[in-house]
Amino acid sequence: MAKRPRATQDSKPEGEPKFLKNDKEYKMLNDLQNKGTLYDKISAIIRKIEITYRPDKFCDFNSIGILLDMAKKKSRHHSEAAVDGLKELFIEKLRKPRKPVENEESEKENGKGKQKKKEEGKGKDVVQEKIIEKYREFVEILKQSSTVEHYHKHMIRTMSELVIMKEELRDRLIEEIINKLGDPNNAIPTCVVLECNNIVRRRRFLLVPVLKAISHFVFRKNQSANAKFYSIVLINSIKLKPGEQEAVKIIIQTLLKLFTTLVKEARQQGSKAIALLLKTLNKTFPLHSAKGAVYQDFFKAEIDELYSLTHHQENINIQIESLRFVFQMELTQGAISDRYYRALYEHILPHPRLRSINYKSLTLLFNTIMMSLKEDFNLTRVKAFLKRLMQCCLIADSPFILGTLLLVYEVMKIHPGTYTMVQEAIVQDEEEKYEDAPDSDAEEEKVEEEEKAEEENNEKPSLSGYDPIKREPKYSGAEYANFFELKQLTKNLHPTISKWAQKILNNEPIEYEGDPLLDFSLINFLDRFAYRNPKTSIISKLQGKKVRMSLVEETVNSKNFKLKGENEVREEEKFFHKYFNMKKDEPEEEEEDMDEDMIGENDSDVMDFGDLDMGGEGDFGEEEIEDASKGRKKMKRSVFADADEYNER
């Protein structure tokens, strides 16, 4: 006689429900679980649990245990598949039953119903408690870190999905996700930042628990500098609203407490986190409605540290952000100190470092100067700032000059008294006198004596006159200065610079809606010169953002550009407008020796450089011609955009 096969745990689990003994689907699922592939087994187990689950009576905990054992395996393939199955099971299949809304009148009428509900509730509680135990075991499996980056990220995404979809163990899961910010592999904290933003976006009420978990994490002992940096990145990436005062308060308190430790690190090794921390403070500070004693006490204690950061040699972003924070703190007190204006005045000296600042830092500096001069009612000090900016224009590039001219024009509208510097420059230019060279030796001696007397007078401390190297702008004598630099800028080769400078001299308005620091940059000019067409897909995404003009406007060789009038064309593009309108009327010349394969569809718009000697004898092959457009990369705004700019020295 043949022996009967022993019932295995998979084929006949303990506690098998009697109501499914003769069910064909259940038997088929048992066979599939024993003989199928990995994904067939997992699907069969999940289906078995689903069809046997009765919230008030029964749940196949043996099958859940099989999935948990598979999730613990060292084989990442088996473990990842089991984790996905368990996630689907706990989120969708084993949902906690909702309590029905009870009517008070029906409760009174039916007095016996209370005892029955209590007896039935005991069974429900036992089943739900066991499900929570299995769910807790599943969370413990997800907590385990792995050296495999892909698997580690998958665990973080799974925990994030559980936080969003389930109420049980939410705080514990959030804490475990935040703990991953301390991972030495930068890809893991990056994944945490993205997933936390996803949690806050889909479940806004979880914003405060997430911020509390970050605050608890960042102040642990022996926390690495990298963990602190990514904690600030995460805080900075979260977009706050004015009504979320509790979240704003947690962020402010966390950053102010973290400031002291980060300053010590910045002294020792230079910290990129301090600049990002100050940026986050500057962004969050205006949203807080109660700017009370907490900030004032911090400001009094750390005022010297903040001013020392304004002279940080390694990172100019730290200097500017610390100045902006000091400005906001002093503005809440009702008066801005001379010390602040003196520190800001030192940042616009005409030295080479000012010319090498990148776009974002330069925009930040101009915005800080504009905010500060709006709140300054000392006319002499305002004139000193404008005079020093105009001095920088004599050695600066076109974007800086045009940005300065626009800033000077806006400040003159706020402080009309500064326009006397322009008027004095005009009068000085008209009264300029020229003397002939001396004819005799006696006259030469007189001239030498006059020069010596003038030098002696210059050595004595003068009570009047502009001192360009004075540290204190209020006592620089700027009331005696004038904008002679404007006369020089009217002769600049850049047509827009000369036009704007002339408009300021004539007291005419400057109307410009774009960003001169972007629109007059070299890359913008090269885009226009290369006749690069803007992509319609990009234009819709860039609406409302500051971008250079070449990304959104039509090329200079387009039909619409040719049909524009001269008054509608920008000053620096009038050459293109004139050139293409003249070329349109010229007859096209036929060239017999040109290879037909090298002729493109838009060759009528290409300038003729045939008369130039290129110094080469051979022809270029088609294989050597590369399409530069294929090498262009699509740029996307990410939550790390603010962090990347502080990664530079």
Side-chain angles (χ1 to χ4, degrees), residues 442-459:
E443 290 180 356
E444 288 182 0
E445 290 177 1
K446 286 182 180 180
V447 171
E448 290 177 0
E449 290 177 0
E450 290 176 358
E451 289 178 353
K452 287 181 181 179
E454 189 176 349
E455 288 177 1
E456 291 176 359
N457 291 331
N458 290 336
E459 291 176 359

Side-chain angles (χ1 to χ4, degrees), residues 240-345:
L240 297 172
K241 300 174 183 177
E244 297 170 334
Q245 290 301 311
E246 187 180 355
V248 172
K249 186 178 179 181
I250 294 170
I251 290 175
I252 294 288
Q253 290 176 348
T254 303
L255 295 179
L256 292 181
K257 191 176 177 182
L258 190 61
F259 177 82
T260 307
T261 57
L262 289 180
V263 166
K264 293 177 182 177
E265 292 177 5
R267 284 180 189 164
Q268 296 172 359
Q269 55 190 4
S271 175
K272 57 186 178 180
I274 189 69
L276 192 58
L277 182 144
L278 289 168
K279 178 182 174 62
T280 311
L281 273 174
N282 289 327
K283 185 177 74 171
T284 313
F285 187 80
L287 297 175
H288 200 191
S289 57
K291 302 177 179 67
V294 178
Y295 308 102
Q296 304 303 331
D297 295 341
F298 168 80
F299 190 62
K300 289 176 183 178
E302 303 293 342
I303 181 67
D304 293 329
E305 290 291 351
L306 286 167
Y307 274 110
S308 67
L309 289 175
T310 62
H311 300 89
H312 198 277
Q313 296 181 355
E314 295 182 0
N315 196 334
I316 193 169
N317 290 298
I318 293 178
Q319 300 175 11
I320 301 172
E321 293 292 355
S322 58
L323 280 170
R324 289 172 69 88
F325 184 62
V326 170
F327 172 78
Q328 290 195 77
M329 294 299 299
E330 292 189 348
L331 192 62
T332 57
Q333 295 178 351
I336 301 172
S337 64
D338 294 341
R339 185 180 181 183
Y340 167 77
Y341 282 108
R342 185 166 60 249
L344 180 61
Y345 192 62

Side-chain angles (χ1 to χ4, degrees), residues 548-611:
R548 61 179 186 271
M549 173 264 303
S550 62
L551 293 178
V552 293
E553 290 193 6
E554 292 182 331
T555 55
V556 292
N557 62 338
S558 63
K559 292 181 180 180
N560 293 334
F561 182 80
K562 295 176 187 177
L563 295 174
K564 287 183 179 179
E566 282 193 26
N567 297 331
E568 300 174 358
V569 180
R570 296 155 59 98
E571 285 292 323
E572 70 276 8
E573 294 180 351
K574 284 185 177 179
F575 165 76
F576 293 109
H577 185 263
K578 184 177 179 181
Y579 171 78
F580 286 112
N581 277 297
M582 289 175 63
K583 191 177 182 191
K584 180 179 65 175
D585 298 329
E586 291 179 359
E588 297 182 359
E589 297 181 1
E590 296 182 359
E591 297 183 7
E592 298 178 357
D593 299 333
M594 184 176 287
D595 187 3
E596 293 180 0
D597 295 334
M598 297 296 292
I599 299 176
E601 295 179 358
N602 297 325
D603 279 357
S604 59
D605 296 335
V606 179
M607 296 183 182
D608 185 11
F609 298 108
D611 296 332

Side-chain angles (χ1 to χ4, degrees), residues 59-105:
C59 181
D60 191 356
F61 293 108
N62 192 26
S63 297
I64 296 176
I66 294 170
L67 285 176
L68 290 171
D69 291 337
M70 291 176 67
K72 294 176 185 177
K73 286 186 176 180
K74 292 183 178 180
S75 172
R76 298 305 177 195
H77 179 62
H78 286 72
S79 178
E80 194 170 333
V83 165
D84 288 338
L86 285 165
K87 181 185 74 172
E88 179 187 352
L89 191 66
F90 283 114
I91 290 176
E92 298 179 4
K93 311 300 182 184
L94 302 180
R95 290 181 179 178
K96 189 176 181 180
R98 295 182 179 180
K99 294 180 181 180
V101 180
E102 296 176 354
N103 191 359
E104 294 181 3
E105 295 180 0

Side-chain angles (χ1 to χ4, degrees), residues 40-59:
D40 291 339
K41 288 180 179 179
I42 293 173
S43 299
I45 294 171
I46 293 172
R47 181 58 184 163
K48 277 173 62 179
I49 297 170
E50 183 182 1
I51 62 175
T52 58
Y53 177 58
R54 300 290 184 273
D56 54 343
K57 294 180 180 180
F58 182 81
C59 181

Side-chain angles (χ1 to χ4, degrees), residues 450-493:
E450 290 176 358
E451 289 178 353
K452 287 181 181 179
E454 189 176 349
E455 288 177 1
E456 291 176 359
N457 291 331
N458 290 336
E459 291 176 359
K460 297 177 182 179
S462 64
L463 299 176
S464 64
Y466 172 65
D467 186 0
I469 59 173
K470 196 78 171 179
R471 286 190 64 195
E472 179 59 65
K474 193 163 61 173
Y475 303 113
S476 62
E479 64 269 20
Y480 304 106
N482 60 69
F483 283 159
F484 72 87
E485 296 88 355
L486 280 173
K487 300 297 293 184
Q488 300 298 322
L489 293 177
T490 56
K491 303 172 186 177
N492 196 288
L493 295 176

Side-chain angles (χ1 to χ4, degrees), residues 382-586:
V382 175
K383 287 182 177 180
F385 272 91
L386 297 183
K387 178 64 178 176
R388 182 166 281 189
L389 282 169
M390 293 303 298
Q391 288 174 319
C392 295
C393 288
L394 297 178
I395 62 167
D397 297 329
S398 300
F400 183 93
I401 298 171
L402 289 163
T404 300
L405 290 175
L406 199 58
L407 185 144
V408 168
Y409 170 72
E410 293 295 333
V411 172
M412 282 182 176
K413 290 197 299 184
I414 300 168
H415 302 286
T418 56
Y419 191 72
T420 56
M421 303 177 76
V422 179
Q423 294 172 339
E424 290 172 6
I426 297 171
V427 172
Q428 184 183 10
D429 186 60
E430 292 175 352
E431 294 179 353
E432 194 170 20
K433 296 179 180 179
Y434 298 93
E435 296 181 358
D436 297 331
D439 296 332
S440 61
D441 295 337
E443 290 180 356
E444 288 182 0
E445 290 177 1
K446 286 182 180 180
V447 171
E448 290 177 0
E449 290 177 0
E450 290 176 358
E451 289 178 353
K452 287 181 181 179
E454 189 176 349
E455 288 177 1
E456 291 176 359
N457 291 331
N458 290 336
E459 291 176 359
K460 297 177 182 179
S462 64
L463 299 176
S464 64
Y466 172 65
D467 186 0
I469 59 173
K470 196 78 171 179
R471 286 190 64 195
E472 179 59 65
K474 193 163 61 173
Y475 303 113
S476 62
E479 64 269 20
Y480 304 106
N482 60 69
F483 283 159
F484 72 87
E485 296 88 355
L486 280 173
K487 300 297 293 184
Q488 300 298 322
L489 293 177
T490 56
K491 303 172 186 177
N492 196 288
L493 295 176
H494 198 289
T496 307
I497 293 175
S498 60
K499 183 179 179 180
W500 286 13
Q502 192 63 49
K503 281 190 171 186
I504 293 175
L505 285 172
N506 298 338
N507 198 15
E508 297 176 359
I510 298 176
E511 297 178 357
Y512 191 76
E513 297 179 356
D515 187 350
L517 299 179
L518 281 175
D519 294 344
F520 298 98
S521 59
L522 178 61
I523 188 170
N524 184 80
F525 170 75
L526 293 176
D527 282 346
R528 303 293 281 168
F529 192 73
Y531 316 137
R532 182 186 175 192
N533 288 312
K535 295 181 179 179
T536 54
S537 59
I538 295 177
I539 293 174
S540 59
K541 294 178 182 178
L542 296 178
Q543 287 181 356
K545 297 181 181 179
K546 284 188 176 182
V547 292
R548 61 179 186 271
M549 173 264 303
S550 62
L551 293 178
V552 293
E553 290 193 6
E554 292 182 331
T555 55
V556 292
N557 62 338
S558 63
K559 292 181 180 180
N560 293 334
F561 182 80
K562 295 176 187 177
L563 295 174
K564 287 183 179 179
E566 282 193 26
N567 297 331
E568 300 174 358
V569 180
R570 296 155 59 98
E571 285 292 323
E572 70 276 8
E573 294 180 351
K574 284 185 177 179
F575 165 76
F576 293 109
H577 185 263
K578 184 177 179 181
Y579 171 78
F580 286 112
N581 277 297
M582 289 175 63
K583 191 177 182 191
K584 180 179 65 175
D585 298 329
E586 291 179 359

